[in-house]
Amino acid sequence: MRIAVLTGAGISAESGLATFRAVDGLWESHRIEDVATPEGFAADPALVHRFYNMRRANAAAARPNAAHLALADLARRHDLTLVTQNVDDLHERAGSPAVIHMHGTLNGALCAACGHRWAAPAVMAPGDPCPACARPATRPDIVWFGEMPYGLDRIWEALETADLFAAIGTSGNVYPAAGFAQHARRRGAECLELNLEASANARDFHRRIVGPASRTVPEWVASLG
Ligand code: APR
């Protein structure tokens, strides 16, 4: 069976990483959308680096939970394409072999001048020189609002060939990820969401399993055999 899974901030909530909607979208009295945009970075790169330095430290201190571990187990028994909107590395640390981080990763750094990518240091600051071109144009390798998500070609392909699509811990507020269920459903996939409550695109799913991911995901994976 071909399975495509999309995860969101809800799968990492029980690992202690705050979701976006739970903190009513605020950080240090800034709207998250203001610190997660190219315009926000241009306006105040030190503030934006501080935001991602904090998130990078939080993610490093967090541990994968039973939901992350169950998806790693799923990949050992089925043809799984795992896509995440999350920028933490908890899926990898749980043992998932291949993760498509469509919104980038906290552990990645990018040079806005030459496009070079490297492993981000724990703390980044404006003016850090790019290891390749030495220009002070470094930024977190995060896909900000208004930028093109990563991996979409592979994602559309997986959605078009999946027998089963599951969205886990995502509110269905942000496109293109919020359109994945409809895309898969139109091509015959069974669509399931696992969440604490109905998501904004709940009508796109055939079924919903309600509960905390650390309980519902292991149970769902076990039910697949
Ligand atoms: N188990 C299952 N689901 C949970 C849990 C849990 N323990 N805790 C929270 N949730 C659900 C919430 O009900 C909500 O539907 O997880 C979802 C979290 O939604 P958001 O905070 O909107 O996170 P997400 O959907 O990943 O946001 C998508 O928006 O802010 C941008 O780029 C950012 O990648 C992010 C994107």
Side-chain angles (χ1 to χ4, degrees):
M1 180 166 52
R2 286 193 171 135
I3 305 173
V5 169
L6 169 71
T7 63
I11 200 170
S12 296
E14 292 165 88
S15 294
L17 298 181
T19 65
F20 293 88
R21 304 303 175 271
V23 297
D24 58 56
L26 287 182
W27 172 77
E28 286 193 1
S29 80
H30 295 273
R31 283 184 348 101
I32 286 181
E33 282 70 13
D34 293 342
V35 290
T37 60
E39 297 76 17
F41 184 65
D44 191 341
L47 173 75
V48 174
H49 272 306
R50 194 163 71 241
F51 175 57
Y52 286 100
N53 290 341
M54 176 216 48
R55 294 184 65 196
R56 195 174 297 110
N58 291 347
R63 304 192 54 70
N65 65 56
H68 298 104
L69 293 166
L71 291 180
D73 181 42
L74 182 62
R76 289 188 276 272
R77 294 186 280 117
H78 290 278
D79 173 355
L80 173 65
T81 299
L82 178 56
V83 183
T84 187
Q85 298 170 99
N86 299 340
V87 292
D88 63 60
D89 61 348
L90 296 181
H91 283 303
E92 288 85 350
R93 286 162 56 196
S96 288
V99 185
I100 301 175
H101 281 275
M102 62 181 291
H103 289 168
T105 60
L106 289 167
N107 291 336
L110 168 67
C111 176
C114 75
H116 179 61
R117 284 184 163 85
W118 67 100
V123 176
M124 295 184 75
D128 288 352
C130 166
C133 74
R135 277 173 280 182
T138 59
R139 54 171 278 183
D141 191 10
I142 298 284
V143 177
W144 285 326
F145 285 88
E147 295 184 322
M148 181 63 70
Y150 295 150
L152 286 179
D153 290 346
R154 285 184 291 157
I155 295 168
W156 295 130
E157 162 73 23
L159 295 172
E160 286 155 15
T161 55
D163 303 300
L164 176 58
F165 170 73
I168 303 171
T170 180
S171 62
N173 280 309
V174 174
Y175 285 81
F180 288 176
Q182 189 181 69
H183 195 84
R185 181 168 183 156
R186 283 181 176 156
R187 285 158 185 79
E190 186 200 342
C191 297
L192 165 72
E193 70 169 336
L194 296 91
N195 200 310
L196 294 178
E197 60 187 12
S199 62
N201 58 338
R203 70 195 170 289
D204 295 340
F205 296 93
H206 297 101
R207 201 157 64 94
R208 178 179 324 122
I209 299 177
V210 178
S214 66
R215 174 173 60 74
T216 60
V217 178
E219 288 174 353
W220 171 64
V221 167
S223 74
L224 295 173

